[in-house]
Amino acid sequence: MDASSDKPHILVVDDDTRLRELLKSFLSRNDFRVTTAASAAEARQRLGSLDFDLIVLDVMMPGETGLEFAGELRRTDDVPILMLTAMVETKDRIAGLEKGVDDYLGKPFEPRELLLRIQSVLRRGRPPATAAAAAAAETPRQVTFGPMQFDLELGELTDKGKRVALTDAEIALMRAFTGRIGEVLSRDTLCKTVGANVNERAIDVQVTRLRRKIEPDPSFPRYLRTVRGQGYRLVDA
């Protein structure tokens, strides 16, 4: 077996040829396999034939933008997405989170920061080994609520046995809620769980997206409930 097949595989999508090649060279030197695409259409072709651990995606591309591509991709694929953008307003980041983007990095950026953010996204949703060992005796591997079942170890959610696609941020939230089912988790706690420099408004957006996947009627949550002035809690009623 080729040793490179064990390395995380990243898809870099950017219409800037120079930046695309620089990122490919830099990430390859840091033990990643890298495939590139110059447009959303080309990225879709790559995704049709290859598996990726993460996508580095530019927002502003001619034709189909990165945000449009991310929103379309999220309908069928939960591969983590790190967005590169010159738009740094909070509303722009929220727009990306609503599309299912896992993290943002503003242009221009330091390559080292990109590397750290990629590593963070790839780790996100995986409990630290020491914490997992300490909690193993008291935290069940699988938690059931209604017809849903969540596997904390694998980060997989099923609805009546059928797998439900989740983003890395949603997996992190599900691990937090199911690991402390019935307890109220503050927005600040959830911000630290999800990471990616998110604020409380972004957590509300992520919870709204998650409800669409686990609630019979997201407008009247049965399982993932809001506790006014405190945060959210998951119940199995």
Side-chain angles (χ1 to χ4, degrees):
M1 178 182 293
D2 186 350
S4 66
S5 64
D6 294 330
K7 300 178 181 179
H9 194 184
I10 294 178
L11 174 62
V12 174
V13 187
D14 198 306
D15 63 304
D16 185 327
T17 302
R18 179 176 176 276
L19 179 59
R20 199 169 60 242
E21 291 306 312
L22 284 173
L23 290 178
K24 180 177 182 179
S25 176
F26 173 75
L27 293 173
S28 296
R29 291 197 307 271
N30 283 276
D31 292 326
F32 292 100
R33 286 188 297 148
V34 183
T35 298
T36 63
S39 65
E42 187 176 351
R44 198 169 281 110
Q45 293 177 348
R46 300 282 188 268
L47 287 161
S49 58
L50 297 169
D51 292 324
F52 296 95
D53 296 289
L54 181 141
I55 299 174
V56 175
L57 177 64
D58 184 37
V59 171
M60 301 302 295
M61 295 189 295
E64 186 177 1
T65 68
L67 282 177
E68 291 168 341
F69 175 67
E72 180 67 24
L73 182 64
R74 274 293 171 259
R75 298 180 182 181
T76 58
D77 200 320
D78 59 357
V79 61
I81 299 173
L82 191 159
M83 190 76 84
L84 301 179
T85 177
M87 301 185 296
V88 295
E89 295 292 330
T90 299
K91 62 181 178 63
D92 296 319
R93 293 199 301 271
I94 289 176
L97 291 169
E98 289 177 329
K99 296 292 186 181
V101 173
D102 295 276
D103 198 359
Y104 265 97
L105 182 59
K107 291 181 175 180
F109 55 85
E110 290 293 330
R112 178 62 179 169
E113 183 178 4
L114 173 65
L115 179 62
L116 291 173
R117 286 183 179 270
I118 286 174
Q119 292 170 341
S120 176
V121 170
L122 291 175
R123 287 195 306 266
R124 193 173 304 144
R126 299 176 183 176
T130 54
E138 56 188 64
T139 303
R141 170 174 170 172
Q142 296 182 334
V143 174
T144 300
F145 54 100
M148 317 293 293
Q149 186 173 71
F150 183 73
D151 189 312
L152 283 89
E153 182 177 331
L154 298 178
E156 291 184 355
L157 178 68
T158 56
D159 181 357
K160 298 177 182 176
K162 183 177 180 180
R163 187 178 178 190
V164 178
L166 296 176
T167 66
D168 271 24
E170 290 166 347
I171 291 172
L173 286 176
M174 284 300 303
R175 281 198 168 114
F177 285 127
T178 54
R180 297 168 62 181
I181 195 162
E183 295 184 34
V184 178
L185 301 184
S186 69
R187 288 176 174 82
D188 181 62
T189 295
L190 295 172
C191 283
K192 294 173 182 176
T193 297
V194 174
N197 297 323
V198 299
N199 54 27
E200 293 188 0
R201 169 60 181 145
I203 288 297
D204 292 338
V205 170
Q206 293 285 2
V207 167
T208 297
R209 286 175 50 85
L210 188 56
R211 279 174 171 159
R212 292 174 187 158
K213 298 182 178 183
I214 69 175
E215 296 285 356
D217 184 353
S219 300
F220 299 93
R222 179 178 179 184
Y223 305 113
L224 186 47
R225 300 179 182 176
T226 300
V227 181
R228 189 176 299 276
Q230 297 184 52
Y232 299 97
R233 68 172 177 169
L234 183 71
V235 299
D236 57 4

